[in-house]
Amino acid sequence: MKYSQLFGKTSKTVASDADSINAKLLTQAAFIQKQISGVYNYLPLGLRVLTKIQNIIREEMNKIDGQEILMPAMTQEESWITTGRNTMEVLFHLKGQGDTNLVLNPTHEEVVTPLVQKYVFSYRDLPLAVYQIQTKFRNEARAKSGLLRGREFNMKDLYSFHIDETDLNRYYEIVKQAYFKIYERIGIGQETVLTFASGGNFSQFSHEFQTLNEGGEDTIYLCPICRVAVNKEIIDTQKTCPECGSDKLEAVKATEVGNIFKLRTKFSEAFKFYYSDSQGQKKIVEMGCYGMGPSRVMGTVVELRHDDVGIIWPKNIAPYQIHLIGLDGLGEDLYQELLSKNVDVIFDDREISAGAKFADADLIGIPIRLVISQRSQEKGGIEFKLRSEKESEIIEAKDLVSKIIKFYN
Ligand code: ATP
Ligand code: MG
């Protein structure tokens, strides 16, 4: 991609209502553009990052036998009356044709339970896990902090169905491990901790995945020994580390990037979802649900990975692999060569000052910056600099592609 052609350019000024680092940097670098409070447009750079996050999640969900589906964003209100959740404050209500009452789904238990019920009758049909990556709508009281708390946002939601609690517990642990793998691949594994939260009526705990960061909205109590935490909501009933019993928990700020929950039979009872066991007995289905917010994850990454001049993308979710800057009219040949070797490159081909190009590269935050100029050629090649490092080096043209491939593998 040539930067001169890219839809969405960097801006020197910060949006006056950008209330967080991620809103400020992502808007300034033209990854996102605010529509209304808590609702954003994704521009080409932003959509690339979001898609990479989604694809990492998708791969890990597929590995644990999740089957991808896509459920509708709107649903008849009756389904929400059936479960008693039609009074939830975050529900957006709509009127359809003939005055029918509809809602925009903030989550999909009310859709997925009756859907799966249409195909699952016997113990032979279980276990089953389906997921989607879709837009959710929540009329949040305080939409804020850029992508961290939207009213329209992206969620991956996985739902699992089991013959009994033992099988639910088995699968729940598998999902937990898959979640750690996902955060690791995205590049926030170091800061993301398992957090014990309230389990609702049916289970002792649910688990959140909380990413430690100073701008985080949640307070969690972290065990310095185990690096697991307890959510503020349950700290009065759980004052020690659930793993090692330590009472030295430390209050820290964090952002919830995932939440897994044993629903048990809450929704299967509401929709009368039974199966017949091997003896032909009628049994209730056990369920789990597992949420993760790709858009919130994207915002959280920026909160964690930035400096004074811009974003520093982790390599697996960067919008491009290479930010190529051409000076003195150079760069086109190298750009074509990189494209021919399948290197994912954005080429700043504009006729503007070197300083302005460098500043934009820092703001956008692609992991590797290459500069080709008369000076770099006099020094024997192309300047290679990591966004995360201060120093640059000169690489001979013949060694460039292998160096790039090595970095990304
Ligand atoms: P929170 O406590 O932060 O309001 P939640 O517990 O209601 O979130 P879940 O229903 O568990 O969230 O949703 C699953 C995941 O979706 C969350 O872990 C988070 O990553 C993401 N998510 C939830 N609400 C929002 C939102 N308003 N904007 C962006 N992402 C969100
Ligand atoms: Mg939650």
Side-chain angles (χ1 to χ4, degrees):
M1 184 75 213
K2 290 188 174 169
Y3 196 83
S4 62
Q5 311 291 309
L6 181 71
F7 172 55
K9 297 286 196 290
T10 59
S11 139
K12 284 204 177 59
T13 51
V14 182
S16 57
D17 58 349
D19 60 350
S20 58
I21 292 165
N22 80 87
K24 173 178 169 284
L25 291 177
L26 287 170
T27 311
Q28 227 186 318
F31 284 70
I32 60 174
Q33 182 59 242
K34 185 161 140 183
Q35 184 70 31
I36 50 173
S37 174
V39 180
Y40 285 87
N41 297 283
Y42 286 78
L43 306 181
L45 290 181
L47 185 59
R48 278 183 162 251
V49 174
L50 185 69
T51 304
K52 287 194 176 181
I53 294 171
Q54 292 169 337
N55 283 341
I56 289 172
I57 297 172
R58 183 173 275 125
E59 282 176 25
E60 297 302 329
M61 291 297 103
N62 293 345
K63 279 187 204 159
I64 59 170
D65 297 330
Q67 300 186 46
E68 187 168 5
I69 61 174
L70 182 59
M71 291 180 271
M74 68 167 81
T75 300
Q76 65 278 28
E77 194 191 33
E78 283 96 310
S79 301
W80 289 80
I81 295 172
T82 302
T83 60
R85 295 209 295 180
N86 57 313
T87 55
M88 272 169 83
E89 278 184 8
V90 295
L91 270 192
F92 279 107
H93 296 269
L94 301 176
K95 281 281 181 214
Q97 296 288 350
D99 249 9
T100 47
N101 294 319
L102 306 173
V103 300
L104 291 178
N105 294 311
T107 175
H108 276 74
E109 285 82 359
E110 275 76 357
V111 180
V112 78
T113 312
L115 175 67
V116 170
Q117 191 174 13
K118 290 196 164 64
Y119 299 93
V120 166
F121 307 100
S122 143
Y123 70 98
R124 289 190 201 88
D125 303 323
L126 296 169
L128 177 71
V130 294
Y131 75 97
Q132 65 174 347
I133 299 174
Q134 208 227 29
T135 305
K136 295 281 191 271
F137 298 89
R138 293 187 183 178
N139 202 356
E140 300 272 2
R142 290 175 306 132
K144 58 174 185 154
S145 307
L147 298 184
L148 299 189
R149 183 167 296 284
R151 293 196 290 163
E152 174 180 327
F153 62 95
N154 189 248
M155 197 200 284
K156 183 284 300 175
D157 41 334
L158 169 76
Y159 303 90
S160 70
F161 302 83
H162 306 271
I163 54 164
D164 57 19
E165 190 186 358
T166 309
D167 198 56
L168 168 61
N169 290 342
R170 172 194 65 81
Y171 192 68
Y172 188 86
E173 292 307 314
I174 289 173
V175 179
K176 205 188 268 177
Q177 293 317 314
Y179 268 48
F180 280 125
K181 189 99 171 282
I182 290 166
Y183 299 122
E184 193 64 48
R185 288 183 62 188
I186 287 171
I188 54 172
Q190 289 297 314
E191 293 89 351
T192 303
V193 299
L194 187 71
T195 302
F196 290 73
S198 153
N201 296 334
F202 295 103
S203 174
Q204 192 189 3
F205 296 117
S206 69
H207 293 92
E208 295 169 349
F209 294 80
Q210 292 270 4
T211 306
L212 310 179
N213 75 97
E214 281 158 24
E217 191 180 316
D218 292 0
T219 301
I220 59 170
Y221 293 83
L222 182 66
C223 172
I225 305 157
C226 306
R227 278 187 77 77
V228 301
V230 176
N231 189 294
K232 190 178 167 190
E233 290 159 13
I234 62 161
I235 192 71
D236 290 337
T237 53
Q238 177 70 43
K239 293 188 166 63
T240 57
C241 172
E243 305 265 279
C244 74
S246 163
D247 58 1
K248 305 249 171 336
L249 304 185
E250 294 161 7
V252 289
K253 289 284 177 201
T255 303
E256 183 203 301
V257 289
N259 196 183
I260 60 175
F261 212 90
K262 292 174 190 170
L263 296 171
R264 302 287 322 270
T265 59
K266 183 175 158 71
F267 292 92
S268 42
E269 274 170 25
F271 289 102
K272 304 191 173 46
F273 184 11
Y274 299 95
Y275 70 96
S276 57
D277 73 5
S278 55
Q279 265 76 54
Q281 298 281 323
K282 190 171 132 181
K283 293 264 175 68
I284 191 89
V285 171
E286 292 269 347
M287 288 173 60
C289 73
Y290 317 86
M292 188 181 290
S295 51
R296 183 182 283 182
V297 165
M298 180 170 161
T300 305
V301 168
V302 177
E303 295 289 324
L304 275 178
R305 308 271 182 260
H306 68 272
D307 60 16
D308 291 347
V309 288
I311 306 168
I312 307 171
W313 290 109
K315 59 183 171 185
N316 290 342
I317 63 165
Y320 285 90
Q321 294 178 312
I322 298 293
H323 192 123
L324 171 64
I325 291 179
L327 301 176
D328 313 316
L330 295 166
E332 180 68 31
D333 291 351
L334 180 57
Y335 172 60
Q336 293 302 339
E337 192 196 332
L338 290 172
L339 285 182
S340 75
K341 303 245 165 80
N342 289 323
V343 175
D344 212 6
V345 51
I346 189 152
F347 170 36
D348 194 343
D349 57 330
R350 294 172 299 173
E351 287 178 11
I352 58 169
S353 75
K357 289 188 183 184
F358 293 147
D360 278 351
D362 284 341
L363 178 59
I364 292 167
I366 290 165
I368 297 175
R369 186 188 81 188
L370 300 180
V371 181
I372 181 159
S373 63
Q374 267 164 20
R375 208 170 75 184
S376 78
Q377 297 216 303
E378 280 156 21
K379 288 187 188 162
I382 297 129
E383 186 194 287
F384 178 106
K385 183 185 165 299
L386 296 182
R387 175 64 182 85
S388 56
E389 307 282 330
K390 285 243 161 345
E391 303 304 316
S392 64
E393 55 181 316
I394 297 289
I395 306 288
E396 278 185 55
K398 67 174 175 48
D399 300 329
L400 188 62
V401 172
S402 63
K403 191 168 168 82
I404 293 167
I405 290 170
K406 203 165 151 211
F407 177 84
Y408 279 101
N409 282 327

